[in-house]
Amino acid sequence: MASRLEINFIRLLSRCESIASEKRAETEWRLEKYVGALEEMLVALRKSPSKPTAEMMTEYSRKVDFLKGLLEAEKLTSPSEKALANQFLTPGRTPTIGNERMPASKTVHMQTKARCTGEMRDELLGTGMSGKGTSETDLRNRKGLPMDERQSAAELEAVMQHHHNLQEKLAEDMLNLARNLKNNTLAAQNIIKQDNQTLSQSMRQADVNFEKLKNESERLEQHTKKSVNWLLWLMLILVSFSFISMILFIRIFPRLR
């Protein structure tokens, strides 16, 4: 079960993500203070004896770093610099609380990208911030505010839908890639299995041939020894017969005088 410190950390993290998803005035100070408190609680969680798993700690660190980067990006003056800084932010991968369909940090990331894109477009079209640095509060007080808000909301929705479609396409591509990788792995496993079976059969056949060769060698050796024995006896008989014949010849035919 999560400790009291982790529960408080999750609650504060969810609150920070909720504040970050809203449009804030320049005088808004809560988010920066809350993120500082999150950093302190994260350090305490690392030192806690009942700290979460390594995966959860990595996810918590990623979300806190995302919020810190978001605050630093908002302090930049140029919309292009803000957009570039937001490109390097890494939102969390899992929901902070259970009732989130999509991680809140990803939603904040998409909203921030859409806002920076709108500011860059306005700057290029000459309808954005003036040289004196007109604030977002001043823009809200201009004439025609409802139409601008509706247009911004529609553009934000379109950008979010576009990013959602891109994420779905990316997820589908990754799924297809994983499926192909799995099929290739299974095919390679089958080939290796067949090769192992062929090698095993070859080794068994080699063992059988070795045993046969050993048996035949023993039989040949026995046959060779047997043939040598018969030849030896035959030579002994011939030598004995020659000797006896010579003795008899000498006896029967004495030497002439």
Side-chain angles (χ1 to χ4, degrees):
M1 293 180 61
S3 62
R4 172 61 61 180
L5 178 60
E6 184 179 1
I7 293 174
N8 293 335
F9 176 83
I10 293 173
R11 289 177 178 174
L12 184 58
L13 178 60
S14 177
R15 179 58 180 163
C16 289
E17 291 174 344
S18 177
I19 295 175
S21 63
E22 301 171 354
K23 290 185 178 181
R24 302 182 305 279
E26 293 182 356
T27 57
E28 176 62 45
W29 56 269
R30 291 179 302 169
L31 183 59
E32 188 171 357
K33 295 295 183 180
Y34 289 169
V35 171
L38 278 176
E39 292 184 275
E40 296 177 358
M41 295 176 71
L42 186 61
V43 174
L45 270 178
R46 290 195 180 99
K47 298 179 180 179
S48 175
S50 58
K51 64 180 181 180
T53 61
E55 291 80 5
M56 292 301 300
M57 289 300 301
T58 302
E59 183 68 15
Y60 291 157
S61 299
R62 183 183 293 111
K63 291 182 179 181
V64 174
D65 292 340
F66 170 76
L67 292 173
K68 289 171 56 181
L70 188 65
L71 289 173
E72 293 176 359
E74 288 180 352
K75 294 178 181 179
L76 299 174
T77 57
S78 173
S80 58
E81 293 179 354
K82 291 182 180 180
L84 182 60
N86 276 281
Q87 290 293 332
F88 293 99
L89 296 180
T90 305
R93 299 177 180 176
T94 59
T96 304
I97 55 179
N99 59 355
E100 292 178 357
R101 298 182 58 184
M102 179 187 297
S105 55
K106 286 188 178 181
T107 304
V108 173
H109 195 206
M110 289 189 294
Q111 290 176 347
T112 307
K113 283 184 177 180
R115 190 178 302 116
C116 293
T117 303
E119 291 179 359
M120 291 177 62
R121 186 190 65 251
D122 292 342
E123 185 181 26
L124 291 174
L125 296 178
T127 59
M129 296 177 64
S130 63
K132 296 180 179 180
T134 307
S135 64
E136 187 177 356
T137 307
D138 296 332
L139 291 175
R140 292 181 179 178
N141 295 328
R142 290 182 178 180
K143 188 176 181 179
L145 176 61
M147 182 62 68
D148 292 340
E149 287 187 349
R150 287 197 298 269
Q151 184 178 359
S152 299
E155 291 173 354
L156 177 60
E157 184 69 23
V159 172
M160 291 181 64
Q161 184 64 32
H162 177 66
H163 283 286
H164 183 67
N165 294 336
L166 288 178
Q167 288 181 351
E168 288 185 349
K169 187 177 183 302
L170 181 60
E172 185 178 357
D173 293 340
M174 292 179 64
L175 183 61
N176 292 332
L177 181 61
R179 188 181 295 110
N180 293 333
L181 181 61
K182 180 181 178 181
N183 294 334
N184 294 335
T185 303
L186 292 176
Q189 288 179 355
N190 292 332
I191 293 174
I192 294 173
K193 185 177 180 180
Q194 292 176 0
D195 292 342
N196 289 334
Q197 291 177 353
T198 304
L199 182 61
S200 300
Q201 292 176 359
S202 300
M203 293 180 64
R204 286 195 297 267
Q205 188 65 33
D207 293 337
V208 172
N209 294 337
F210 179 76
E211 291 295 332
K212 289 183 179 180
L213 181 61
K214 184 178 179 181
N215 295 333
E216 293 297 330
S217 299
E218 292 177 354
R219 289 179 58 187
L220 181 61
E221 184 179 359
Q222 293 176 0
H223 181 69
T224 304
K225 289 180 180 180
K226 188 175 181 181
S227 300
V228 170
N229 291 334
W230 279 104
L231 183 61
L232 180 62
W233 282 107
L234 181 60
M235 291 179 64
L236 287 174
I237 292 172
L238 289 174
V239 170
S240 300
F241 180 75
S242 300
F243 181 75
I244 295 172
S245 300
M246 184 179 298
I247 295 298
L248 290 176
F249 181 77
I250 294 173
R251 290 294 182 180
I252 294 175
F253 302 98
R255 185 176 60 178
L256 296 179
R257 295 180 182 180

